[in-house]
Amino acid sequence: SSFQYGYNVAVINSPSPFMQQFYNTTYLERYGRPMEDNFLTLLWSLSVSMYPLGGFFGSLMVAPLVNKLGRKGTLLFNNIFSIVPAVMMGVSDIAKSYEIIIVARFIVGICAGLSSNVVPMYLGELSPKNLRGALGIIPQLFITIGILSAQVLGIRNILGNSTGWPLMLGLTGIPALIELLLLPFFPESPRYMLIQRGDEKTARKALQRLRGWDDVDAEMSEMHLEDQSERAEGRLSVLSLLSQPSLRWQLVSIIIMNMGQQLSGVNAIYYYADSIYATAGVKQNDIQYVTVGTGAVNVFMTIAAVFIVEASGRRLLLLCGFGICCGACVLLTVALKIQETVTWMPYISITCVIIYVIGHAIGPSPIPYVVTTEMFRQSARPAAFMVAGSVHWLSNFTVGLVFPFLERGLSPYSFIIFSFICLVTLVYIWLVVPETKNKTFLEVCQMFAKRNKVEIKLGDGDLPLKEGKESLEDAIKVTAF
């Protein structure tokens, strides 16, 4: 699922000249005159921007689908939104229709919008708490592998040419077919089965299979406790989530982090990379290989994040990541401004791009998904991912829409805006977001209780739960002051 998301982010970058030539040729054959440049720009902008727009609509479908079909069921259903557009894009050249590509990009965007939220949710609920961070970064790892795969296939001698691009676009259906064959053999989320379906027998069996041993009583007790603590709340919709005092700062935090993740300029960096490399003297034909190298660095650093997240914690990676991105954007602005007058400065520009990619890969890219899973309990998690996903994709769409105008109006100074956004996000995380490493979902809820002005109480004695003293095993009720 995550591989498809990453693959479709980058798949139309390399073959874009040949696809635009196809648009123009098709128009010429239909109407007997060449397409105007402004109309071609509009069609190409739609081809690019339909993907994040579809992602936004996919995010809106998360809560109803995961509550109705379950986590695994939603991922199986989601492959429809990959296989159908894969066929559409694969036959677009034969059908002589660029409209098919635009519609297919929207549909495959729905697939990405669903998978980018459901996969972290599913893995977060399957994971033991001591591995939740590492497993939570795995989706981002496969997103970066998908991007790198598209960059490699997009090399001119492989599929990034006038005859290979329809096949390149259609290949996104292969991972979907593999998932349809393999995912039915995997268990549904035990938390979903117990807390939302009330099926303790299936939940216990799934948990035993996942852990590899029969004694899962401790985790079952923790799930029962979570179930009891939120029965009074019931399943939360987005509107009820927005009005819950006990979840106010968790909600603000995931909105800030997801906005910071996308508005920090990561897509703009990739967009601007080709011109930076060209200015640095990289030959036009070699830029594609440098781009692949940047993608490989992204994959390597995400792998590193998988191994260090449980030792370093989520908060430190977020702070370091946004700090590195902030500094890289400032240096890149300076380097771009003076690189025409200083002969060696273009190499500093390339270095800044690589440093930015490293910073984003260790924190801002993967960690918000992990933290979104950990900040919310079962009843609120689908609605929380729906909000986080909507913010993520709307911010993605905004950057894609606005950056060309920023680049035209501000030139290198546009990266100062991204630097400021990184700094604001960093300060917010420093002041508000706690470390969630090795905490149960109820313990994270307790950590936010004081800031939310709520009180976690004990079930029997109705006494406040003192942080770090009484056991969370007795905490079964949350009430607002």
Side-chain angles (χ1 to χ4, degrees):
S1 290
S2 299
F3 178 91
Q4 294 173 60
Y5 171 14
Y7 185 82
N8 285 294
V9 164
V11 72
I12 65 172
N13 290 342
S14 293
S16 61
F18 305 103
M19 292 178 67
Q20 291 181 54
Q21 185 180 5
F22 163 72
Y23 286 18
N24 206 1
T25 303
T26 303
Y27 188 89
L28 180 63
E29 290 177 0
R30 286 185 192 174
Y31 305 107
R33 63 180 188 276
M35 187 183 293
E36 294 180 6
D37 288 343
N38 288 339
F39 187 55
L40 177 59
T41 303
L42 174 63
L43 285 179
W44 185 247
S45 298
L46 285 173
S47 303
V48 174
S49 61
M50 282 296 105
Y51 183 67
L53 188 62
F56 169 69
F57 280 96
S59 296
L60 297 180
M61 298 163 62
V62 168
L65 283 177
V66 296
N67 288 328
K68 181 74 174 176
L69 302 177
R71 282 59 169 153
K72 185 179 90 169
T74 301
L75 290 175
L76 286 170
F77 173 75
N78 191 34
N79 287 299
I80 295 172
F81 299 114
S82 179
I83 294 171
V84 171
V87 174
M88 292 171 66
M89 290 187 289
V91 302
S92 57
D93 188 21
I94 299 171
K96 299 295 181 185
S97 173
Y98 45 75
E99 295 89 350
I100 287 180
I101 296 175
I102 295 171
V103 173
R105 288 282 292 172
F106 177 80
I107 298 172
V108 82
I110 294 175
C111 172
L114 276 166
S115 68
S116 63
N117 292 286
V118 180
V119 173
M121 188 190 309
Y122 181 48
L123 289 181
E125 293 178 6
L126 295 180
S127 309
K129 65 181 181 180
N130 62 311
L131 295 176
R132 197 183 298 132
L135 288 173
I137 293 178
I138 294 296
Q140 183 61 34
L141 173 60
F142 275 88
I143 289 172
T144 60
I145 292 173
I147 292 172
L148 179 60
S149 299
Q151 290 170 337
V152 171
L153 291 175
I155 292 173
R156 297 286 183 265
N157 295 332
I158 303 178
L159 291 177
N161 49 56
S162 58
T163 56
W165 66 262
L167 176 59
M168 186 176 169
L169 265 61
L171 287 177
T172 186
I174 292 179
L177 290 172
I178 294 172
E179 185 175 24
L180 278 176
L181 291 173
L182 297 181
L183 190 57
F185 297 101
F186 287 75
E188 180 55 271
S189 161
R191 288 181 176 274
Y192 171 77
M193 294 308 299
L194 178 66
I195 298 175
Q196 290 182 245
R197 290 297 183 195
D199 189 344
E200 182 169 353
K201 183 178 178 182
T202 304
R204 180 178 291 274
K205 186 177 178 181
L207 201 56
Q208 289 171 337
R209 189 175 164 206
L210 285 163
R211 299 296 178 259
W213 53 75
D214 292 333
D215 185 11
V216 292
D217 289 342
E219 281 194 79
M220 291 295 293
S221 298
E222 191 263 319
M223 283 191 277
H224 275 296
L225 175 62
E226 185 178 343
D227 183 25
Q228 293 169 356
S229 72
E230 55 185 22
R231 273 187 184 171
E233 297 174 10
R235 189 183 300 161
L236 295 180
S237 65
V238 171
L239 288 177
S240 56
L241 176 67
L242 295 173
S243 63
Q244 282 287 326
S246 62
L247 299 174
R248 184 178 297 123
W249 280 100
Q250 291 97 310
L251 192 62
V252 173
S253 296
I254 65 165
I255 289 173
I256 295 292
M257 283 188 288
N258 277 278
M259 287 181 68
Q261 180 194 61
Q262 291 301 310
L263 298 181
S264 61
V266 61
N267 293 318
I269 286 285
Y270 281 120
Y271 175 85
Y272 208 62
D274 283 5
S275 62
I276 294 171
Y277 298 149
T279 307
V282 180
K283 294 179 181 179
Q284 193 65 38
N285 193 49
D286 293 338
I287 287 176
Q288 55 186 334
Y289 301 108
V290 179
T291 303
V292 169
T294 307
V297 169
N298 197 6
V299 171
F300 176 78
M301 293 310 302
T302 308
I303 293 173
V306 172
F307 288 99
I308 65 175
V309 65
E310 296 301 349
S312 63
R314 290 73 159 130
R315 190 168 181 268
L316 180 61
L317 289 183
L318 283 169
L319 291 172
C320 290
F322 277 111
I324 291 170
C325 290
C326 179
C329 282
V330 173
L331 290 175
L332 181 60
T333 301
V334 175
L336 288 173
K337 186 64 181 173
I338 64 175
Q339 69 179 9
E340 292 182 2
T341 57
V342 181
T343 55
W344 48 266
M345 193 55 68
Y347 300 101
I348 301 297
S349 301
I350 294 177
T351 304
C352 288
V353 171
I354 294 172
I355 291 173
Y356 180 95
V357 168
I358 289 172
H360 215 275
I362 64 169
S365 283
I367 303 298
Y369 298 110
V370 178
V371 176
T372 302
T373 301
E374 294 178 327
M375 282 186 177
F376 295 89
R377 293 175 296 163
Q378 196 73 20
S379 63
R381 197 170 293 123
F385 267 97
M386 188 169 162
V387 171
S390 299
V391 170
H392 170 99
W393 286 103
L394 276 179
S395 300
N396 187 327
F397 179 75
T398 301
V399 170
L401 197 65
V402 171
F403 180 71
F405 298 99
L406 282 177
E407 184 192 3
R408 189 180 307 164
L410 299 176
S411 297
Y413 293 110
S414 56
F415 289 100
I416 290 293
I417 297 174
F418 299 133
S419 178
F420 176 75
I421 291 170
C422 289
L423 180 61
V424 170
T425 310
L426 184 151
V427 170
Y428 177 87
I429 293 168
W430 176 266
L431 295 175
V432 176
V433 178
E435 180 54 66
T436 57
K437 179 182 74 171
N438 262 343
K439 299 289 192 299
T440 67
F441 297 124
L442 275 173
E443 285 172 332
V444 176
C445 177
Q446 182 197 11
M447 291 163 67
F448 274 98
K450 184 177 180 181
R451 188 174 293 277
N452 285 323
K453 296 184 179 179
V454 299
E455 188 177 2
I456 298 180
K457 294 193 174 183
L458 303 177
D460 298 327
D462 207 34
L463 298 171
L465 179 68
K466 307 298 184 198
E467 185 175 352
K469 294 184 179 180
E470 286 85 350
S471 170
L472 276 169
E473 292 176 2
D474 297 319
I476 61 171
K477 184 167 65 176
V478 177
T479 56
F481 282 132

